[in-house]
C-alpha cells in the first residue's frame, strides 16, 4: 500500500458494484478503485473507461495476481462468494464480499480457516450508515425504555426470469437478498443473538425461490423481531423499533439515497396517528463510502475490523435456521 491508501480491485461488472460500491470507493477517504475484472476484456475495459478506473482485466485470476491491488470487492452471484473470496485471500488480498457471504453456514465456515493476516468481511453497508449508528445510540441511551419489538418490512417487485435474484440454484430469493438485512437489524439493535426462529415461505412456482417470507426471531427476555420480505410486492421498506417508552422509525433503512439526508423518527404514542412524532435529520452521506473506510482503516491498521468472518458465519446460521423452520413447519434453533 501507498501510505494509508487502499487500492481496490473489483471482480465483475455487477450492477451494485458499478452503481453503488465503486462510486463509494471513489468518494471514500481511504480507497482507490484501481482495477476491475470481467469474464471478457471488452466488458472490463468499457466499465473501467466509464468509471475512470486505471486497469481492466479480462479474467478474475489476472486481477487477483496484480501485486498492486490490496483489497478485493466481490459482488459476484451468491454461489461464487466463498470460492472467489478464498481465491482472493490465497492471492494475498483482503476481501469485502457482498451479502450473503455464502449459501449456508457450513460453506461460510471455510473462511475461518483462511490465513489470519488477511481480512474478510461481509458488505453490510447499513452498519456503517450514521442513521443505524444513531438509532443504536438512542436505543442504548434508554430513551425508548426497554426495546422489546422490532418490526421490519422490505419488498420490491422483480419477476424477470433472467435476473439472478430469481435463480434458486445460485442463491436467489427474498431471504438471501433482503431478509439478511431484516434479521441483521435484530442482532444490531438488540445487541444479542436470536435463540430460535419460525418462518413461513411462499415460493414462486416457476423460479422455486422464496418470493415472500415472514418470520419471527426470538431473542430471549421477551424480545421479538418479526419481518416480511418479498421480491414480488410493491417496493417498500420501513423498520420500527418499539420500546416501553417510545418507538423509533427508520424511514429508508437499507437503500438510503447516496449523498442525501435521511430521517429517523421517534414517537411516544401520546397522540395517536403520528401526532407526537419527533424527526431527526441525518446529514447526507454515502453509506458505501463509509463502509469502505471502516474496512480500509482495518486494512491499514488504524482501527480494528468490527465485523469479520465470524460475524458472517453467524448471519448464515440464522438464515439456515429460517430456511429449516419453513421446511419443517415449526420453530428452529439457531446454530
Amino acid at each position: 500500500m501507498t501510505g494509508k491508501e487502499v487500492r481496490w480491485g473489483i471482480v465483475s461488472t455487477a450492477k451494485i458494484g458499478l452503481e453503488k460500491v465503486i462510486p463509494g470507493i471513489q468518494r471514500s477517504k481511504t480507497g482507490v478503485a484501481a482495477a476491475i475484472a470481467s469474464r471478457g476484456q471488452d466488458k472490463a475495459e468499457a466499465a473501467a473507461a466509464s468509471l475512470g478506473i486505471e486497469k481492466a482485466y479480462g479474467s478474475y485470476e489476472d486481477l487477483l495476481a496484480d501485486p498492486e491491488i490490496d483489497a478485493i470487492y466481490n459482488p459476484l452471484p451468491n454461489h461464487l462468494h466463498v470460492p472467489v473470496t478464498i481465491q482472493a485471500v490465497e492471492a494475498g488480498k483482503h476481501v469485502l464480499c457482498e451479502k450473503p457471504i455464502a449459501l449456508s453456514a457450513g460453506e461460510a465456515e471455510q473462511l475461518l480457516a483462511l490465513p489470519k493476516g488477511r481480512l474478510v468481511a461481509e458488505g453490510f453497508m447499513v452498519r456503517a450508515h450514521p442513521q443505524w449508528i444513531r438509532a443504536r445510540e438512542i436505543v442504548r441511551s434508554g430513551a425508548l425504555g426497554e426495546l422489546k419489538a422490532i418490526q421490519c418490512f422490505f419488498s420490491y417487485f422483480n419477476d424477470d426470469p433472467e435476473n439472478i435474484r430469481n435463480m434458486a440454484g445460485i442463491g436467489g430469493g427474498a431471504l438471501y437478498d433482503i431478509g439478511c438485512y431484516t434479521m441483521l437489524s435484530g442482532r444490531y439493535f438488540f445487541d444479542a443473538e436470536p435463540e430460535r426462529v419460525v418462518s413461513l415461505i411462499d415460493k414462486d412456482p416457476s423460479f422455486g425461490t422464496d418470493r415472500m417470507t415472514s418470520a419471527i426471531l426470538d431473542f430471549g427476555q421477551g424480545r421479538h423481531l418479526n419481518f416480511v420480505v418479498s421480491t414480488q410486492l410493491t417496493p417498500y421498506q420501513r423498520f420500527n423499533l418499539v420500546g416501553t417508552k417510545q418507538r423509533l422509525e427508520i424511514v429508508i433503512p437499507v437503500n438510503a439515497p447516496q449523498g442525501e439526508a435521511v430521517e429517523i423518527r421517534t414517537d411516544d404514542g401520546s397522540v395517536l396517528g403520528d401526532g407526537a412524532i419527533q424527526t431527526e435529520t441525518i446529514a447526507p452521506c454515502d453509506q458505501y463510502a463509509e463502509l469502505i473506510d471502516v474496512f480500509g482503516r482495518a486494512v491499514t491498521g488504524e482501527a480494528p475490523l468490527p465485523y469479520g468472518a465470524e460475524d458472517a458465519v453467524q448471519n448464515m446460521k440464522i438464515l439456515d435456521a429460517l430456511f429449516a423452520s419453513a421446511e419443517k413447519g415449526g420453530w428452529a434453533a439457531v446454530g
Side-chain angles (χ1 to χ4, degrees), residues 179-209:
C180 55
Y181 290 108
T182 56
M183 68 86 185
L184 182 79
S185 71
R187 299 186 63 212
Y188 188 84
F189 293 116
F190 281 135
D191 277 323
E193 301 295 341
E195 298 172 359
R196 58 177 184 158
V197 305
V198 65
S199 65
L200 181 66
I201 287 178
D202 174 43
K203 287 190 177 182
D204 184 286
S206 299
F207 305 148
T209 55

Side-chain angles (χ1 to χ4, degrees), residues 99-102 122 124 126-127 132 150-154 174-199 213-219 224-229 239 254 310-323 334:
K99 53 74 199 168
I101 207 161
E122 196 168 15
F124 281 110
V126 290
R127 291 189 293 202
W132 276 52
I150 299 176
Q151 294 183 319
C152 305
F153 200 103
F154 191 179
L175 260 180
Y176 280 138
D177 191 40
I178 55 180
C180 55
Y181 290 108
T182 56
M183 68 86 185
L184 182 79
S185 71
R187 299 186 63 212
Y188 188 84
F189 293 116
F190 281 135
D191 277 323
E193 301 295 341
E195 298 172 359
R196 58 177 184 158
V197 305
V198 65
S199 65
T213 294
S214 302
I216 301 172
L217 282 65
D218 178 6
F219 281 80
H224 301 168
L225 163 71
N226 67 283
F227 70 74
V228 177
V229 292
F239 290 4
V254 177
E310 294 81 2
D311 177 79
V313 170
Q314 177 62 17
N315 289 329
M316 291 313 307
K317 287 180 179 179
I318 299 168
L319 290 175
D320 283 355
L322 288 164
F323 282 116
V334 175

Side-chain angles (χ1 to χ4, degrees), residues 1-2 5-9 30-32 34 54-55 68-71:
M1 290 181 287
T2 305
E5 181 181 274
V6 178
R7 293 177 59 81
W8 285 86
T30 61
V32 173
E54 177 186 348
K55 298 180 181 180
E68 295 185 346
I69 298 302
D70 308 307

